């Protein structure tokens, strides 16, 4: 059993006592069986959505030198502008350009953990060129922060937890992030990259929940079902696409599924695709403890797994493994360095060196395992489990 379409949920039904029970039933099925869904009637005004899209597209029309004034590698926070081809997912180049923004924070102090570098002020584009950009995006981040908090409460209720079950994993001034992304069509890419169409490679979002505003008419977003098939998630006006993150899967004993997804670049002549994902944050100080999911919900999840005979074929390793990291911030920092090696080279050279060493040795072990016994390649260690644990330990030390 594996999903073949992405469910659409009407969030207005969660606001009425008469329809909320049926909404929670639908949400529970989406969480346990899919991990990806559309929501409509979100409460975010059409006017704000239109302004966000307008300002987002306008950013990419800035002269190159104005965009580079706020490039990501200016600071260790991983906030700012990323040039086309500067990001890596699944060990391959992502052909997109983007700007990352977040809820504002002061610079960390010298006594703070290294991962507090992720908490910092934004790099805003020159207001003489985009006078409404900052106010529009700050308003959107505030409203999406409220929406994501409310939705997470509904997630808790859907799996028979108290509405505030996840509150302890949030900071009082919790950081949330938004990206504005442009995927050029393949005619803009190097010829040797056009056949791959990797706008962004297969990945799972990191935190609790993500909310994608598909800001142009282009298809390209796909979710991978449990049989390894790619299911299209086309733009639907008036909706946001919600992706369940690895953090939520880890906290709920795997009950809430984190689903692999990717974006294919538009075909030649189709023009650029735009998207604006919002990422609900979790405290970087959070540890990998779990909430107490009711036994009945765990049994429902077990039944789903049983019906598909334990099948789970996807292209992404689950990175938030309990015991590997002391805090969520450590895992997040390493993932950011892996995705943005130019920032790593400037600000985190030791972590980047460990990442590259780990990935090189893992690739070698997988190749050896495939040659000796194909079934060992699934584990990705080639039988070298002690060496693999040693590499993981060295990565922790580097952070």
């Amino acid at each position: 059993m594996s999903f073949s379409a992405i469910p659409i949920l009407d969030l207005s039904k969660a606001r009425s006592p008469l329809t909320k029970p049926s909404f929670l039933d639908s949400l529970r099925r989406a969480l346990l069986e899919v991990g990806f869904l559309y929501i409509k009637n979100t409460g975010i005004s059409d006017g704000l959505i239109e302004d966000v899209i307008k300002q987002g597209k306008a950013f990419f029309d800035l002269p190159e030198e104005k965009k580079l004034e706020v490039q990501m590698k200016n600071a260790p926070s991983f906030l700012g502008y990323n040039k086309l081809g500067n990001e890596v997912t699944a060990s391959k180049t992502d052909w997109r350009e983007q700007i990352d923004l977040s809820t504002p924070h002061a610079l960390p102090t010298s006594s703070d953990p290294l991962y507090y570098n992720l908490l910092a002020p934004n790099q805003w584009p020159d207001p003489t060129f985009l006078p409404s950009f900052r106010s529009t995006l700050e308003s959107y981040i505030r409203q999406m922060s409220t929406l994501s908090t409310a939705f997470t409460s509904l997630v808790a209720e859907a799996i028979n937890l108290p509405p505030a079950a996840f509150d302890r994993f949030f900071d009082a001034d919790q950081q949330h992030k938004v990206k504005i992304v442009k995927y050029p069509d393949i005619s803009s890419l190097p010829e040797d990259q056009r056949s791959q169409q990797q706008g962004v490679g297969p990945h799972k979002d990191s935190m609790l929940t993500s909310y994608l505003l598909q800001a142009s008419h282009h298809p390209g977003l796909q979710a991978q079902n449990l049989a390894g098939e790619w299911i299209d998630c086309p733009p639907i006006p008036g909706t946001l696409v919600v992706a369940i993150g690895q953090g939520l899967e880890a906290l709920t004993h795997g009950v809430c599924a984190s689903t692999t997804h990717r974006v294919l670049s538009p075909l030649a002549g189709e023009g650029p695709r735009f998207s604006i994902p919002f990422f609900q944050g979790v405290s970087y100080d959070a540890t990998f403890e779990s909430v107490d999911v009711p036994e009945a919900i765990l049994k429902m999840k077990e039944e789903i797994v049983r019906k598909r005979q334990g099948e789970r074929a996807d292209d992404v390793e689950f990175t938030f493994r309990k015991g590997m990291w002391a805090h969520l911030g450590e895992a997040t920092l390493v993932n950011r360095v892996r995705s943005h090696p130019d920032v790593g080279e400037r600000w985190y050279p030791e972590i980047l060196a460990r990442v590259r060493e780990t990935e090189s040795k893992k690739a070698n072990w997988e190749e050896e395992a495939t040659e000796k016994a194909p079934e060992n390649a699934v584990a990705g260690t080639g039988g070298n489990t002690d060496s693999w644990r040693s590499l993981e330990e060295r990565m922790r030390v580097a952070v």
Side-chain angles (χ1 to χ4, degrees):
M1 182 182 70
S2 194
F3 67 87
S4 58
I6 309 302
I8 304 173
L9 273 64
D10 185 347
L11 201 54
S12 67
K13 292 184 177 181
R15 304 182 188 115
S16 167
L18 296 178
T19 54
K20 187 175 181 179
S22 64
F23 173 87
L24 292 177
D25 285 343
S26 297
L27 178 57
R28 184 181 304 112
R29 288 194 298 272
L31 293 170
L32 271 63
E33 299 178 16
V34 185
F36 227 69
L37 61 145
Y38 294 92
I39 53 173
K40 63 181 182 179
N41 294 318
T42 63
I44 308 295
S45 73
D46 292 342
L48 179 57
I49 294 293
E50 291 170 3
D51 288 345
V52 168
I53 293 173
K54 178 181 177 182
Q55 293 298 318
K57 291 181 177 180
F59 172 80
F60 297 109
D61 291 333
L62 290 175
E64 184 72 7
E65 64 270 17
K66 300 307 293 185
K67 290 187 285 187
L68 292 178
E69 286 178 356
V70 295
Q71 64 181 323
M72 187 177 285
K73 68 179 182 181
N74 289 347
S77 61
F78 296 89
L79 299 173
Y81 171 66
N82 218 25
K83 295 191 298 182
L84 181 67
N86 254 26
E87 188 173 4
V88 174
T89 303
S91 301
K92 296 180 181 178
T93 299
D94 293 331
W95 294 104
R96 61 178 182 173
E97 58 177 318
Q98 64 190 39
I99 183 169
D100 286 49
L101 305 165
S102 82
T103 47
H105 285 79
L107 290 169
T109 68
S110 58
S111 62
D112 287 325
L114 186 62
Y115 57 80
Y116 273 33
N117 282 347
L118 301 171
L119 302 169
N122 285 306
Q123 297 191 74
W124 294 106
D126 189 339
T128 60
F129 284 78
L130 292 175
S132 301
F133 183 90
R134 178 171 180 170
S135 60
T136 299
L137 270 295
E138 285 183 334
S139 178
Y140 186 67
I141 291 172
R142 284 194 300 270
Q143 293 197 33
M144 287 301 303
S145 298
T146 300
L147 171 62
S148 65
T149 301
F151 189 81
T152 305
S153 294
L154 292 171
V155 168
E157 291 186 81
I159 58 174
N160 294 350
L161 295 174
F166 299 110
D167 286 3
R168 71 180 188 271
F169 300 107
F170 300 120
D171 294 326
D173 58 346
Q174 180 59 52
Q175 183 193 54
H176 306 290
K177 294 185 65 180
V178 67
K179 289 179 185 281
I180 306 171
V181 188
K182 177 183 178 181
Y183 299 93
D185 74 35
I186 61 172
S187 64
S188 303
L189 308 185
E191 287 191 17
D192 63 345
Q193 297 293 323
R194 294 178 184 178
S195 61
Q196 295 188 36
Q197 276 191 271
Q198 179 160 310
V200 61
H203 67 285
K204 297 177 181 179
D205 292 342
S206 298
M207 301 298 185
L208 291 195
T209 54
S210 306
Y211 305 79
L212 176 64
L213 170 59
Q214 300 195 75
S216 60
H217 66 279
H218 302 79
L221 176 65
Q222 297 179 323
Q224 193 175 40
N225 68 17
L226 299 170
E229 302 165 331
W230 290 103
I231 307 301
D232 289 327
C233 309
I236 299 177
T239 68
L240 298 171
V241 178
V242 181
I244 301 305
Q246 293 191 62
L248 189 57
E249 180 168 348
L251 293 176
T252 60
H253 305 274
V255 166
C256 296
S258 175
T259 297
T260 298
H261 51 286
R262 68 181 182 183
V263 174
L264 300 180
S265 299
L267 297 175
E270 292 183 347
R273 179 183 186 272
F274 295 91
S275 68
I276 305 172
F278 173 91
F279 301 94
Q280 180 187 35
V282 183
S283 173
Y284 291 131
D285 293 324
T287 58
F288 289 89
E289 59 181 300
S290 300
V291 293
D292 294 324
V293 180
E295 188 66 26
I297 299 297
L298 292 174
K299 288 183 177 179
M300 289 175 62
K301 183 68 175 183
E302 289 171 1
E303 178 64 13
I304 292 170
V305 173
R306 185 191 65 78
K307 286 181 178 179
R308 64 171 186 261
Q309 298 179 328
E311 170 192 353
R312 178 163 184 164
D314 58 31
D315 290 343
V316 175
E317 180 183 7
F318 193 77
T319 57
F320 288 171
R321 299 194 303 279
K322 187 174 182 180
M324 182 172 178
W325 309 103
H327 299 96
L328 181 67
E330 296 172 357
T332 302
L333 179 57
V334 169
N335 281 343
R336 299 275 164 80
V337 171
R338 181 180 289 112
S339 295
H340 301 279
D342 60 329
V343 182
E345 286 175 353
R346 181 166 184 178
W347 299 101
Y348 306 101
E350 184 179 354
I351 295 177
L352 181 61
R354 300 296 192 204
V355 166
R356 286 173 169 168
E357 177 188 13
T358 301
E359 291 182 343
S360 176
K361 291 192 175 183
K362 182 181 178 184
N364 290 338
W365 289 339
E366 289 178 341
E367 184 177 351
E368 292 173 4
T370 302
E371 293 174 354
K372 294 177 181 178
E375 64 273 13
N376 287 343
V378 175
T381 65
N384 293 282
T385 53
D386 291 339
S387 298
W388 185 246
R389 292 191 189 101
S390 176
L391 273 178
E392 290 184 335
E393 178 61 31
R394 293 176 69 186
M395 185 71 75
R396 286 196 293 272
V397 172
V399 178

